[in-house]
Amino acid sequence: AQRVTQPEKLLSVFKGAPVELKCNYSYSGSPELFWYVQYSRQRLQLLLRHISRESIKGFTADLNKGETSFHLKKPFAQEEDSAMYYCASRYNFNKFYFGSGTKLNVKP
Amino acid sequence: EPEVTQTPSHQVTQMGQEVILRCVPISNHLYFYWYRQILGQKVEFLVSFYNNEISEKSEIFDDQFSVERPDGSNFTLKIRSTKLEDSAMYFCASTSGTDIDYNSPLHFGNGTRLTVT
């Protein structure tokens, strides 16, 4: 079965510290991967997708097929980054699977 | 930028009552979804809908749930007889799904908070 795993439920860091939110996927084909962010009581918003290879709000994510990972990174965390982060994969055209989410708490 | 819109933002209902949650997906999108998020928990897939029929549903989506696209714009989720455990945030989402826009991500609405008392 297709699966997206986010091993950490909660990640707490101090402002200015580097952040890495882990995501691993299981998929036999060519995955398409996304990171979504959910600020408190708001909708899920697309943060990044691997095909774009872009940096949004200082976050980057690289697809590592050897390790089947798509970790989200930011060199210097800000308090406004505190949110819930979901890794998601898409396969068979329009089936999406979400990980269980990681709550990022950036302390002042 | 076009958005998925959901109404109402908050719905309070008594146990056993029927509720209908409404969504207007982005107009040129072809695939529609409902997800549920119980307070403090992860986002859970309920159902996906394409070409006027359910394409996939989860174990959560039992006989109490149904979806419908009554016209060209609305996409509804009906819970026939609500239970306390149905209290959650319900998110509608849509994606383009066309060959031209294959990489279109999911676009989510703001959600409807359902409270069953």
Side-chain angles (χ1 to χ4, degrees):
Chain A
Q2 312 307 322
R3 186 171 294 174
V4 174
T5 305
Q6 294 180 249
E8 303 139 329
K9 287 186 98 169
L10 173 65
L11 187 62
S12 282
V13 300
F14 284 102
K15 177 182 169 183
V19 166
E20 181 178 70
L21 291 89
K22 292 184 168 51
C23 172
N24 289 89
Y25 65 91
S26 63
Y27 183 52
S28 57
S30 297
E32 193 178 342
L33 292 152
F34 306 85
W35 276 100
Y36 280 82
V37 59
Q38 185 182 31
Y39 299 103
S40 180
R41 295 178 173 263
Q42 294 186 28
R43 74 174 77 198
L44 279 82
Q45 303 171 39
L46 178 68
L47 182 62
L48 286 176
R49 42 181 159 169
H50 88 272
I51 56 161
S52 301
R53 302 186 64 82
E54 57 201 342
S55 174
I56 304 291
K57 299 184 180 182
F59 286 97
T60 58
D62 290 319
L63 179 63
N64 185 324
K65 290 188 179 181
E67 295 181 358
T68 61
S69 68
F70 187 57
H71 303 328
L72 183 68
K73 299 177 185 178
K74 184 169 182 175
F76 308 104
Q78 303 299 314
E79 288 180 70
E80 55 265 30
D81 296 329
S82 294
M84 201 68 184
Y85 290 81
Y86 291 93
C87 184
S89 71
R90 169 190 182 151
Y91 84 106
N92 276 8
F93 205 33
N94 279 304
K95 293 188 178 183
F96 290 83
Y97 284 87
F98 282 81
S100 54
T102 298
K103 184 173 183 177
L104 175 64
N105 180 31
V106 181
K107 297 176 281 190
Chain B
E1 187 178 330
E3 286 186 345
V4 175
T5 57
Q6 289 185 245
T7 55
S9 56
H10 193 189
Q11 173 91 45
V12 181
T13 189
Q14 288 191 325
M15 196 166 54
Q17 296 297 304
E18 175 185 286
V19 293
I20 297 176
L21 309 183
R22 291 184 165 77
C23 169
V24 178
I26 294 174
S27 62
N28 63 344
H29 283 186
L30 302 178
Y31 285 82
F32 315 123
Y33 305 78
W34 283 101
Y35 286 82
R36 179 181 84 173
Q37 186 178 35
I38 295 170
L39 187 63
Q41 298 187 26
K42 68 176 180 177
V43 175
E44 300 174 292
F45 168 74
L46 291 177
V47 66
S48 59
F49 192 87
Y50 171 71
N51 200 25
N52 282 321
E53 60 183 27
I54 291 173
S55 51
E56 191 171 2
K57 60 183 180 179
S58 71
E59 294 171 351
I60 303 167
F61 195 87
D62 61 23
D63 292 343
Q64 292 299 310
F65 291 87
S66 62
V67 288
E68 195 178 28
R69 188 153 163 82
D71 53 43
S73 59
N74 289 286
F75 178 52
T76 62
L77 174 70
K78 183 194 291 187
I79 309 175
R80 241 179 294 280
S81 176
T82 50
K83 304 188 282 284
L84 293 175
E85 53 264 38
D86 293 328
S87 294
M89 190 73 132
Y90 288 82
F91 290 103
C92 176
S94 69
T95 189
S96 169
T98 63
D99 288 340
I100 295 172
D101 197 11
Y102 174 80
N103 295 314
S104 169
L106 273 182
H107 295 260
F108 283 86
N110 275 327
T112 294
R113 182 170 298 282
L114 177 64
T115 302
V116 182
T117 61

